Amino acid sequence: MSVTATLATSARVLGQLRRDHRTLAMVFLVAPALLILFKYIFDNQPQTFDRIGAPMIGLFPLIMMFLITSIAMLRERTSGTLERLMSLPLAKLGLLLGYALAFALLAAIQGAITGAVGFWALDVQTDGPA
């Protein structure tokens, strides 16, 4: 496994995602939008939203990133890119780590955005620190 090939794979995945505006909107906007929707659904019951709001701040990004990474790998498989990548001198572990690194960066940004919306904009209360 080569670190250079892993970083190149990660850069390629991030470059593809940068050009895919629908996926970026799904990554960065859907989880906070779902949290806002839940806030308004439980508008008459603020204690209920305070109880379920904090777990949702963690669950929504997790579910969204699972779906997006699954769709990205399926897209690679159906477009034939995965087969072309496997014909290169790139180890399978390097390919997987490159994808993991790219999507981990996106997940960190997505979690920060969702946490900021939840804890600051929607004022979700927790017993411990945010």
Side-chain angles (χ1 to χ4, degrees):
M1 181 186 83
S2 168
V3 174
T4 306
T6 300
L7 292 176
T9 301
S10 181
R12 183 187 62 81
V13 170
L14 288 173
Q16 283 179 334
L17 288 172
R18 189 183 65 213
R19 291 185 297 271
D20 189 0
H21 300 293
R22 291 179 297 180
T23 301
L24 287 178
M26 205 168 143
V27 169
F28 298 130
L29 299 177
V30 171
L34 286 172
L35 202 59
I36 292 168
L37 181 66
F38 267 76
K39 172 74 172 179
Y40 287 111
I41 287 173
F42 294 110
D43 195 29
N44 295 333
Q45 304 167 349
Q47 69 280 5
T48 303
F49 181 71
D50 285 341
R51 193 177 71 245
I52 68 165
M56 293 299 163
I57 291 172
L59 284 175
F60 286 152
L62 174 76
I63 293 167
M64 293 307 303
M65 286 310 292
F66 176 77
L67 290 173
I68 290 166
T69 55
S70 299
I71 290 168
M73 285 304 284
L74 180 65
R75 189 182 311 159
E76 294 283 343
R77 178 83 171 129
T78 58
S79 69
T81 308
L82 192 59
E83 285 79 13
R84 288 192 299 270
L85 284 172
M86 296 313 290
S87 68
L88 296 173
L90 176 66
K92 291 178 186 176
L93 182 62
L95 178 70
L96 290 175
L97 286 177
Y99 270 88
L101 186 63
F103 283 110
L105 177 65
L106 283 178
I109 296 169
Q110 180 192 40
I113 291 170
T114 306
V117 168
F119 290 117
W120 290 327
L122 300 178
D123 197 33
V124 172
Q125 301 297 319
T126 61
D127 292 336

